[in-house]
Amino acid sequence: MSRQVKERLKKEVAAMKNQFPGFRPGLVVLQVSLDLLLIILAHIINLVVIASLNENPAVHGLIVQLPLDSINPINTEKVTNAVAPEKDVDGLTSINAGKLSRGDLGDCFIPCTPNGCMELISQTGVSVMGKNAVVIGRSKIVGAPMHDLLLWNHATVTTCHSKTLDLAEQVGRADILVVGAGRAEMVKGEWVKKGAVVIDCGINHIPDSSKASGKRVVGDVHYPSAIERAGYITPVPGGVGPMTVAMLMKNTVESAKRFLQTYTPGKWNIEYTKKKPQEPQPSDAEISCSCQSKPIGELAREVGLFSEEVEPYGRSRAKIRLDALKRMEKQPDGKYVVVTGITSTPLGEGKHTTALGLAQALGAHLNINTFACVQEPSPGSFFGARGIAVGGGYSQIIPLEEVCLRTSCKGQIVLCVYTHVFVQFAFGMISHVYILQALFDLLVPLRKGQRFVSPAQLNRLKKLGIEKSDPLTGTEIRRFVQLDIDPDTATLFISMVGCAVQDSGSLENEIMAILSLSSSEEEMQQRLAKIVVATNKSGDPVTTEDLDVSGPLAMLLKDALKPVLMQTVEGTPVFLHTSPLADIAQGSPSVLADKLALKMVGSKGFVVTESGHRADIGLEKFFNIKCRYSGLRPDVVVIVATVRTLKMHGGAPPVQAGLPLPKEYSHEVVHYFKLCNLFMYNSEYSYFCDTDTELELVCGQARQAGAFDAVQCTNWSEGGAGALALAEAVQRAAKLPGQFRFLYDTQVRSAADKLRTVAQKMYGAKDIELSPKSIEKLVLYTKQGFGNLPVCIAKTHLSLSIDPMLKGVPTNFMLPITDIKANVGAGFLCCLTESVSFILLYL
């Protein structure tokens, strides 16, 4: 009979797979094991595992194997009730038991053994309605739910147990007898009413010398005598057991069917909040205060994150553990959209606002899985003309006052590095053998007679050509301890020792760039180990690994590597993560945030990220640095512009004079990088003074210049609704095949050639001018093996040239390179122009 049930279930599963290819019901059987010494810890771990399985959409049934495996007292109710009622296919939670007891049979899961008993009774053809039914046993697994099932199927039910005085008499009146007492052959055949249906749920072992094991399995009913009187009786074994398994499968399939009623493959079950704009429009802070953000744990669940992957920081923000990316690594990526801008005015053109408005339009208005990934605001930006909001108006991250969750460890890191440099340098100047030995004992301490050598120290020994760690000769100890730092090789000096090392601002920015470009903790530690803090007298780089501080740095920055989850005004999820500068670094959100978001949105979703500053600076670095290291390739580029900017760069009110600028940017994106680009004109950032004629003109000219489309947006005042035209254009553009390529090959071209390529193709420069200092640095870095790194040119963002006052599309100018810094950990050569200096960047 259980075979018939299984065949029916196979057909139901096949129907689900036809409707949703690749789908299958999932069942997990959890064995809870608690050790005597670790009972409390193990109990917590088991509950965490249950919570994780509750949230896993691939798991539709979850049962906890009973009895719990422990020699210690365990609160079974607490464990079983931790299972979500909608996945409790064993029907043992208090919620399912309560619904069964009050007759809500269609809204609960019925325990498998009683459900199997009802199926066996049904297959006899005997109607339960009006019959006298007797249940022997009152356990929560069999007896009690069996009583409820028979009662709500209109039988007159009597429950008997070990204290029942007239058990034989009660059994004799039963038309239907269900026995689950756990006592071998307690019900005698002569007790059974002639023609009764007998369901034996017992499993007992009694001695039997004829068996190899010395025992045999029997039920709670004496089968040989009962079969003479019963109309139907289940054997033991082979009766209720197989049907119980069949009912477990039935409940699991039913749970999967219920799940599919509200499930759309690849779609989040998320609720958005469409804010109705007010007139006149309030300030950014007033809009933020008027919006009630969704609890961050709820948002995380809606976008497919498990609670164990979420580390809340208050009600509105949370860090996401990197385990989430590992769990989703085999899932397909969504579409990758990068938002950039044209050469802007000092007040900006609304790039953040556009990115968030576009994400809101795609998500809240077009119902597409969409994530926005933006940079954390730097502390300095809080006091700028643009205010503290990330975005603006009805396209901003809320709550406004909580948008910054930076890990403040710069001071500790810089102090740690400088202390090591000071100690190494100070003692390194002393060549006395006892001093060198004392320093070696300090760096590589003896523990129980053995030298403790860290992995970083082993790497340093290998770099020096020393293939052992202990014992070392006096010469080997001197080479290991003394760094021989050349005081004339770096940009700033520590006056106390006269030692040239990397300045703190540059170090801070490189660490932020490393955070932004790392795809894992392992990669971050490898990059941190490569940071060059000085150069020795032989011309070799001295790294944080040589100082044995890369490990501690990685520990300090471990939490900082986790993206921060927040939301927009309309409830669109946002990753807010890292803030490398856009001039002396790549200036874009982290690789980890983008990668995780691309997995979470699924193959039909969109991730809207941003590049720092404008296309010729930020987008070029986004492509040649970030995309090179991340392996990600954008599908669409959105270039933000305003009529106000075009007029400024044209040098006169008529907008026609500034039209060469969008043409230049379209040429860069389409011709050099082989990508589809869209122009978005933000009329609100021109204070609503643009005319329809001007907007039609600039949109038309952008299309003629090679843009896929050009649209007007009003997302600052209307939220996602104001960016619907842009969102629809992005959808169309994303369907086109991409042929992305880098601007240059890092392995083939020299650093000077790479600089020249960027200057000529992205800025329109005639050529580059290398200062004597830059030439010297390039020779040094090439010798040190850093010549194959990508280049990062630091220049003003207010002009294509180095002169911020030179607007439009200047030509025939030279790009002077005044200094070069090797950010080896971050993985690029930072090249400064006359408009920027390392010192000015950090004042």
Side-chain angles (χ1 to χ4, degrees):
M1 288 186 285
S2 63
R3 187 180 297 111
Q4 297 172 1
V5 176
K6 291 177 182 178
E7 289 300 321
R8 188 168 67 245
L9 293 177
K10 284 182 179 179
K11 293 180 181 179
E12 292 182 14
V13 171
M16 285 188 281
K17 288 185 175 181
N18 287 336
Q19 185 179 3
F20 302 101
F23 178 84
R24 66 176 183 176
L27 172 67
V28 173
V29 180
L30 180 64
Q31 183 175 9
V32 178
S33 177
L34 301 182
D35 186 85
L36 177 63
L37 298 178
L38 300 175
I39 181 169
I40 297 177
L41 179 60
H43 190 57
I44 294 172
I45 292 174
N46 285 316
L47 294 178
V48 169
V49 171
I50 292 174
S52 174
L53 293 170
N54 286 340
E55 297 167 350
N56 191 336
V59 176
H60 309 105
L62 172 59
I63 66 174
V64 178
Q65 187 170 320
L66 298 177
L68 300 180
D69 180 18
S70 175
I71 61 174
N72 301 283
I74 305 175
N75 188 336
T76 303
E77 286 289 307
K78 187 172 183 179
V79 175
T80 55
N81 279 326
V83 178
E86 64 273 15
K87 296 189 178 184
D88 173 31
V89 292
D90 235 0
L92 297 181
T93 62
S94 296
I95 291 177
N96 279 322
K99 288 182 177 181
L100 174 59
S101 68
R102 68 183 190 184
D104 296 336
L105 304 188
D107 190 34
C108 69
F109 283 114
I110 299 169
C112 299
T113 297
N115 207 13
C117 293
M118 291 300 295
E119 181 69 22
L120 289 168
I121 295 170
S122 173
Q123 292 182 8
T124 66
V126 175
S127 174
V128 175
M129 186 181 297
K131 297 294 191 299
N132 287 321
V134 172
V135 178
I136 300 179
R138 51 184 172 180
S139 71
K140 296 178 181 179
I141 298 175
V142 179
M146 191 71 236
H147 172 279
D148 294 334
L149 266 179
L150 288 165
L151 179 67
W152 292 112
N153 279 275
H154 312 295
T156 301
V157 188
T158 301
T159 298
C160 301
H161 44 77
S162 60
K163 306 300 182 185
T164 301
L165 299 178
D166 54 346
L167 184 60
E169 182 179 343
Q170 295 291 344
V171 170
R173 290 199 293 265
D175 302 310
I176 299 172
L177 176 65
V178 181
V179 187
R183 293 176 59 184
E185 299 180 330
M186 67 172 291
V187 175
K188 310 303 179 185
E190 58 267 25
W191 296 359
V192 177
K193 182 178 180 180
K194 192 73 173 177
V197 176
V198 179
I199 308 295
D200 189 352
C201 302
I203 296 288
N204 308 282
H205 295 86
I206 62 173
D208 188 340
S209 58
S210 65
K211 302 292 182 180
S213 62
K215 55 187 178 181
R216 61 187 173 92
V217 178
V218 298
D220 290 353
V221 178
H222 187 265
Y223 186 82
S225 59
I227 197 172
E228 299 295 329
R229 297 181 59 81
Y232 300 92
I233 185 171
T234 57
V236 177
V240 174
M243 188 57 75
T244 297
V245 174
M247 290 301 103
L248 178 59
M249 297 300 104
K250 179 183 177 181
N251 281 354
T252 303
V253 171
E254 177 61 29
S255 177
K257 288 165 66 177
R258 294 177 187 176
F259 170 76
L260 289 178
Q261 290 175 359
T262 58
Y263 168 76
T264 303
K267 295 289 290 184
W268 295 336
N269 186 17
I270 184 172
E271 292 186 10
Y272 295 102
T273 304
K274 296 179 183 178
K275 189 78 174 174
K276 184 178 180 180
Q278 300 179 30
E279 292 185 5
Q281 183 162 325
S283 67
D284 291 347
E286 289 171 329
I287 291 173
S288 176
C289 291
S290 70
C291 298
Q292 181 65 40
S293 61
K294 186 183 301 181
I296 200 64
E298 181 181 342
L299 176 64
R301 285 192 298 274
E302 289 179 339
V303 298
L305 291 168
F306 297 168
S307 57
E308 63 186 16
E309 297 166 346
V310 180
E311 299 176 357
Y313 281 70
R315 183 182 182 278
S316 305
R317 55 185 176 170
K319 283 184 173 290
I320 306 303
R321 295 170 60 91
L322 306 190
D323 296 342
L325 183 58
K326 293 179 182 177
R327 173 173 63 86
M328 302 179 192
E329 62 183 356
K330 293 184 179 179
Q331 295 180 196
D333 287 347
K335 298 295 185 181
Y336 198 29
V337 181
V338 56
V339 178
T340 188
I342 66 169
T343 306
S344 65
T345 63
L347 293 178
E349 307 309 312
K351 182 164 54 68
H352 285 315
T353 307
T354 300
L356 296 173
L358 172 58
Q360 290 184 154
L362 288 165
H365 296 266
L366 296 181
N367 197 30
I368 299 171
N369 292 357
T370 305
F371 237 104
C373 294
V374 298
Q375 284 187 266
E376 295 177 89
S378 60
S381 67
F382 286 175
F383 304 99
R386 304 179 196 180
I388 67 174
V390 176
Y394 290 98
S395 296
Q396 63 169 302
I397 296 176
I398 59 170
L400 177 150
E401 66 274 11
E402 294 185 16
V403 295
C404 190
L405 186 59
R406 297 166 63 90
T407 301
S408 180
C409 58
K410 180 198 77 172
Q412 295 94 315
I413 291 171
V414 173
L415 180 61
C416 182
V417 172
Y418 282 4
T419 301
H420 275 72
V421 171
F422 171 75
V423 172
Q424 295 268 15
F425 186 83
F427 281 94
M429 292 187 296
I430 304 173
S431 58
H432 195 282
V433 63
Y434 296 113
I435 299 295
L436 292 174
Q437 184 64 49
L439 183 55
F440 180 73
D441 291 339
L442 180 65
L443 295 172
V444 190
L446 276 170
R447 295 180 182 176
K448 297 181 179 180
Q450 296 290 326
R451 291 281 181 190
F452 178 77
V453 186
S454 70
Q457 290 171 335
L458 286 173
N459 287 339
R460 172 159 172 75
L461 287 169
K462 290 179 181 178
K463 187 188 297 186
L464 295 171
I466 303 172
E467 298 297 330
K468 57 181 179 176
S469 58
D470 189 49
L472 298 182
T473 66
T475 301
E476 289 170 338
I477 289 176
R478 181 187 60 76
R479 292 178 62 207
F480 177 81
V481 168
Q482 289 185 324
L483 295 177
D484 290 330
I485 295 174
D486 183 353
D488 299 324
T489 57
T491 55
L492 292 181
F493 288 79
I494 298 180
S495 59
M496 70 178 78
V497 296
C499 170
V501 296
Q502 188 185 64
D503 60 278
S504 62
S506 180
L507 176 60
E508 177 193 9
N509 187 71
E510 183 170 6
I511 290 171
M512 181 60 77
I514 287 171
L515 279 174
S516 183
L517 291 170
S518 297
S519 294
S520 64
E521 290 181 13
E522 294 76 17
E523 182 181 347
M524 179 185 71
Q525 185 158 356
Q526 290 168 7
R527 286 178 175 272
L528 289 170
K530 295 177 182 177
I531 295 176
V532 177
V533 296
T535 301
N536 65 23
K537 294 177 181 178
S538 300
D540 299 322
V542 178
T543 66
T544 51
E545 186 174 57
D546 293 327
L547 298 175
D548 198 17
V549 296
S550 57
L553 293 187
M555 292 183 64
L556 283 170
L557 294 167
K558 185 178 179 180
D559 278 347
L561 195 60
K562 302 170 185 174
V564 177
L565 176 66
M566 293 190 73
Q567 60 196 285
T568 67
V569 167
E570 296 183 0
T572 299
V574 181
F575 277 140
L576 195 69
H577 197 215
T578 71
S579 56
L581 296 178
D583 34 33
I584 63 171
Q586 75 280 10
S588 55
S590 74
V591 167
L592 268 173
D594 288 358
K595 283 189 172 183
L596 181 55
L598 284 165
K599 294 296 183 186
M600 292 173 66
V601 299
S603 59
K604 297 181 180 179
F606 284 82
V607 171
V608 182
T609 190
E610 61 176 354
S611 73
H613 285 332
R614 60 184 198 275
D616 59 304
I617 295 182
L619 191 63
E620 181 271 319
K621 295 172 184 177
F622 181 93
F623 290 151
N624 289 316
I625 297 177
K626 182 175 180 179
C627 290
R628 195 183 298 274
Y629 286 121
S630 68
L632 300 175
R633 303 292 182 262
D635 297 284
V636 182
V637 176
V638 175
I639 302 176
V640 181
T642 64
V643 172
R644 175 186 68 183
T645 300
L646 299 183
K647 289 178 179 178
M648 181 192 75
H649 284 282
V655 72
Q656 287 87 340
L659 291 178
L661 201 59
K663 181 178 180 180
E664 175 70 15
Y665 283 113
S666 282
H667 179 70
E668 291 173 356
V669 174
V670 176
H671 179 71
Y672 294 128
F673 296 105
K674 298 296 183 184
L675 284 173
C676 178
N677 74 93
L678 293 158
F679 264 88
M680 189 288 286
Y681 285 94
N682 190 342
S683 62
E684 298 171 317
Y685 272 56
S686 295
Y687 305 103
F688 303 96
C689 60
D690 302 338
T691 67
D692 291 340
T693 302
E694 288 175 329
L695 289 168
E696 289 174 6
L697 175 63
V698 296
C699 287
Q701 288 293 315
R703 295 187 192 101
Q704 289 181 23
F708 175 81
D709 201 353
V711 298
Q712 178 187 353
C713 287
T714 54
N715 51 276
W716 177 74
S717 62
E718 298 180 20
L724 269 175
L726 177 61
E728 291 167 350
V730 165
Q731 277 187 287
R732 297 194 304 273
K735 295 177 182 178
L736 299 178
Q739 297 177 326
F740 175 81
R741 67 183 185 188
F742 295 115
L743 193 61
Y744 52 79
D745 187 334
T746 57
Q747 302 300 319
V748 175
R749 295 194 173 190
S750 67
D753 284 342
K754 287 178 280 192
L755 285 169
R756 185 172 292 107
T757 298
V758 174
Q760 292 177 341
K761 292 185 177 181
M762 299 305 298
Y763 311 152
K766 180 181 178 181
D767 204 349
I768 60 172
E769 290 179 346
L770 294 173
S771 69
K773 185 177 183 180
S774 297
I775 295 173
E776 182 183 341
K777 290 283 190 73
L778 284 181
V779 171
L780 173 65
Y781 296 147
T782 302
K783 175 187 174 183
Q784 293 176 338
F786 307 145
N788 61 345
L789 294 176
V791 294
C792 173
I793 300 178
K795 62 179 286 293
T796 177
H797 64 284
L798 299 175
S799 172
L800 286 170
S801 71
I802 62 167
D803 183 358
M805 303 306 294
L806 190 57
K807 304 302 181 183
V809 185
T811 58
N812 204 36
F813 64 90
M814 301 296 289
L815 185 74
I817 304 297
T818 58
D819 195 3
I820 299 177
K821 167 71 178 66
N823 287 339
V824 184
F828 54 78
L829 298 176
C830 183
C831 309
L832 272 61
T833 63
E834 286 184 350
S835 58
V836 182
S837 71
F838 282 125
I839 296 176
L840 289 176
L841 284 170
Y842 295 101
L843 287 179

